[in-house]
Amino acid sequence: MSSFSRLVRFLAKNGRTYYGDAILPEGVTDIAKTKQARVIKGDIFGKYEVTDQVADVRLLLAPLALEDVKTVRCLGLNYALHAKEAGLPLPKYPVLFYKPVTSLSGPTDPIPVHPIAQEELGLDYEVELIIVIGKEARDVPESEALDYVFGYAVGNDVSHRDWQVARGGGQWSLGKGFDGWAPWGPGIVSSNVIKDPQTLQIITRVNGKVVQDSNTADQIFNVKQTIAFLSRGHTLLPGDLIWTGTPSGVGFGRKPQVWLEDGDVVEVEMEGVGIVTNKVEFTKESTSKL
């Protein structure tokens, strides 16, 4: 349903921000390596054109502008080995929660950790396959679900386990919804390029060390099932993001547990899409001046 191959949103060297179709050398699939893109004009979820205008990329931004994102749906416990490491039974239905759009950030932005999230240990990483919905979907059968996919990206569902569990009141969003805690990108690969989203290697590295290494084949609810289920009685809109859960290897599941610290560099990578690289930055309490 898309004529682009690898959609990027970027700050160009001329100082302007564009949507574009990434130009990559032959054999390269990591969108993070994009140096040039063909400018896209029009409505990316409607009528648009991939033009012949080539712009030099200064900085890759979050693949969609905030005004183009509708909701950020997320699944928990959606990889079999992750459920096992958490000591929890496989869910009968997808476990759904939401992150605010203000948690979204770009593929090289820092991960800001507010002082309230520095009070206790528990800062964790979660690499995830992200589905981007391309057209309105309601009560979609599994057999047609992929027809509604605009494309795929990779992201880090940054989480604080203390705020998620002990202080969360039974809801996960508080420990996952801080500003900048959903870096994603580095672009969106068209569903015409990724035909089968259930065969993709997915990896996290912290300071260069591999801590998660799995495959989307381990998902409990695959992409087709997820879209079909979430659209039952609920309308999915163009620009909706669905984060499809993380595989095993997260910090809280390790013995001993491993938590992110100030200055750590986290890379999340998905086969055919590329790498999102973010540095953890503990921030200080802001003070207002009279």
Side-chain angles (χ1 to χ4, degrees):
M1 62 179 294
S2 306
S3 61
F4 69 87
S5 294
R6 293 174 174 84
L7 180 75
V8 290
R9 191 171 67 93
F10 64 98
L11 176 65
K13 290 186 178 179
N14 64 10
R16 299 183 63 183
T17 297
Y18 298 102
Y19 279 110
D21 194 5
I23 300 172
L24 292 174
E26 186 175 353
V28 175
T29 58
D30 182 1
I31 297 176
K33 299 184 183 298
T34 303
K35 301 298 181 185
Q36 291 184 316
R38 294 180 180 87
V39 172
I40 291 176
K41 294 184 177 179
D43 177 3
I44 58 167
F45 290 114
K47 186 176 181 181
Y48 70 86
E49 176 189 8
V50 180
T51 70
D52 293 328
Q53 178 186 350
V54 174
D56 294 323
V57 175
R58 178 187 297 175
L59 178 68
L60 289 176
L61 306 173
L64 295 179
L66 286 185
E67 59 265 26
D68 290 327
V69 178
K70 297 300 187 294
T71 62
V72 184
R73 290 173 168 86
C74 306
L75 298 191
L77 294 175
N78 195 35
Y79 281 75
L81 291 176
H82 177 51
K84 182 179 179 180
E85 73 177 352
L88 296 170
L90 299 185
K92 184 178 180 180
Y93 302 102
V95 178
L96 178 66
F97 65 96
Y98 289 77
K99 292 180 80 134
V101 294
T102 48
S103 67
L104 297 172
S105 62
T108 60
D109 291 343
I111 298 169
V113 181
H114 189 277
I116 198 173
Q118 300 174 32
E119 295 173 354
E120 300 289 344
L121 296 174
L123 188 64
D124 212 344
Y125 49 82
E126 292 192 4
V127 61
E128 307 208 5
L129 160 70
I130 302 167
I131 307 164
V132 183
I133 297 297
K135 59 181 180 180
E136 187 172 307
R138 190 175 190 274
D139 293 330
V140 173
E142 286 183 27
S143 59
E144 298 175 11
L146 296 187
D147 295 340
Y148 294 83
V149 176
F150 185 69
Y152 303 96
V154 65
N156 185 358
D157 175 17
V158 181
S159 307
H160 195 289
R161 304 307 181 185
D162 191 57
W163 280 104
Q164 178 187 352
V165 181
R167 306 187 189 190
Q171 300 291 327
W172 290 358
S173 293
L174 188 61
K176 289 173 168 282
F178 287 92
D179 289 351
W181 280 27
W184 70 299
I188 298 170
V189 179
S190 168
S191 56
N192 293 325
V193 175
I194 295 180
K195 301 285 189 180
D196 183 359
Q198 304 308 146
T199 61
L200 305 175
Q201 186 180 26
I202 191 165
I203 296 172
T204 300
R205 287 179 289 269
V206 177
N207 300 326
K209 179 182 178 181
V210 174
V211 290
Q212 289 183 284
D213 188 352
S214 187
N215 193 287
T216 54
D218 189 47
Q219 287 185 340
I220 298 166
F221 303 101
N222 64 29
V223 170
K224 291 180 181 180
Q225 293 169 324
T226 296
I227 293 172
F229 179 83
L230 294 182
S231 71
R232 293 183 67 183
H234 296 73
T235 301
L236 304 179
L237 296 174
D240 277 352
L241 306 183
I242 303 173
W243 294 55
T244 58
T246 197
S248 58
V250 294
F252 87 86
R254 293 178 171 269
K255 297 180 181 179
Q257 293 176 324
V258 177
W259 306 121
L260 295 175
E261 299 178 354
D262 188 26
D264 284 347
V265 176
V266 186
E267 299 170 89
V268 293
E269 178 177 1
M270 189 166 71
E271 181 182 352
V273 175
I275 303 173
V276 168
T277 304
N278 310 94
K279 184 177 181 179
V280 176
E281 291 189 1
F282 282 25
T283 62
K284 296 181 180 180
E285 195 78 59
S286 59
T287 56
S288 57
K289 294 182 179 179
L290 297 177

